[in-house]
Amino acid sequence: AVVSTQSTGTAHCICLKFSPDKEHFATGGADALINIWDASELSYLTSYSRLEWPVRTLSFNHDGRLLAAGSEDLVIDIAFVETGEKVATVSCNAFPFCVAWHPSQNLLAYVTDDKSKHNEKHSRDSDKTTGCVKLFGL
């Protein structure tokens, strides 16, 4: 049964993630907005956007104070949950498919496509990409 329905922004919601302490959740949408919500009250707290493309992936760090957001931009935006203030921007060679914080450290793993060094040696395979896991630490 549906308990409550809330609007998540000016466009459809693409991703949703709960903080580790379950006090907040974040939504990301086609309008490139990141919305922060109070989970117990189901009330909107704040929103911010430094991305230009739809938000596709979100992840809270281990203590719930930081939020990483990825889109089709070639960056990952990391912000303080309470204020939306930018902490860091992680540059990427391709847009990130998925972001995930380590369960107890400020270490962010993310997945992108990358040119395979092996494939670059072969001209007929030079346009192929391979999945790549990368790490960023604060």
Side-chain angles (χ1 to χ4, degrees), residues 2-49:
V2 175
V3 176
S4 178
T5 303
Q6 300 289 331
S7 174
T8 61
T10 60
H12 63 274
C13 181
I14 296 173
C15 54
L16 181 145
K17 190 71 172 181
F18 278 89
S19 63
D21 60 10
K22 309 297 187 245
E23 289 185 18
H24 300 99
F25 65 93
T27 58
D31 53 8
L33 284 176
I34 298 161
N35 297 299
I36 308 296
W37 301 80
D38 180 294
S40 62
E41 300 292 324
L42 295 178
S43 60
Y44 164 83
L45 297 174
T46 191
S47 66
Y48 62 93
S49 180

Side-chain angles (χ1 to χ4, degrees), residues 17-22 59-68 81 100-108 138:
K17 190 71 172 181
F18 278 89
S19 63
D21 60 10
K22 309 297 187 245
S59 183
F60 284 90
N61 76 329
H62 64 94
D63 62 10
R65 293 181 56 228
L66 300 176
L67 181 69
V81 171
W101 288 98
H102 185 278
S104 64
Q105 299 176 28
N106 282 333
L107 182 64
L108 182 69
L138 291 175

Side-chain angles (χ1 to χ4, degrees), residues 63-123:
D63 62 10
R65 293 181 56 228
L66 300 176
L67 181 69
S71 72
E72 293 176 26
D73 292 84
L74 299 181
V75 297
I76 298 168
D77 183 81
I78 300 174
F80 286 113
V81 171
E82 292 293 324
T83 63
E85 179 185 350
K86 180 169 78 170
V87 174
T89 301
V90 181
S91 295
C92 304
N93 293 333
F95 71 84
F97 294 111
C98 180
V99 295
W101 288 98
H102 185 278
S104 64
Q105 299 176 28
N106 282 333
L107 182 64
L108 182 69
Y110 57 100
V111 178
T112 67
D113 276 342
D114 219 351
K115 289 271 188 189
S116 168
K117 293 187 186 320
H118 173 74
N119 287 339
E120 288 176 358
K121 295 177 185 176
H122 306 288
S123 62

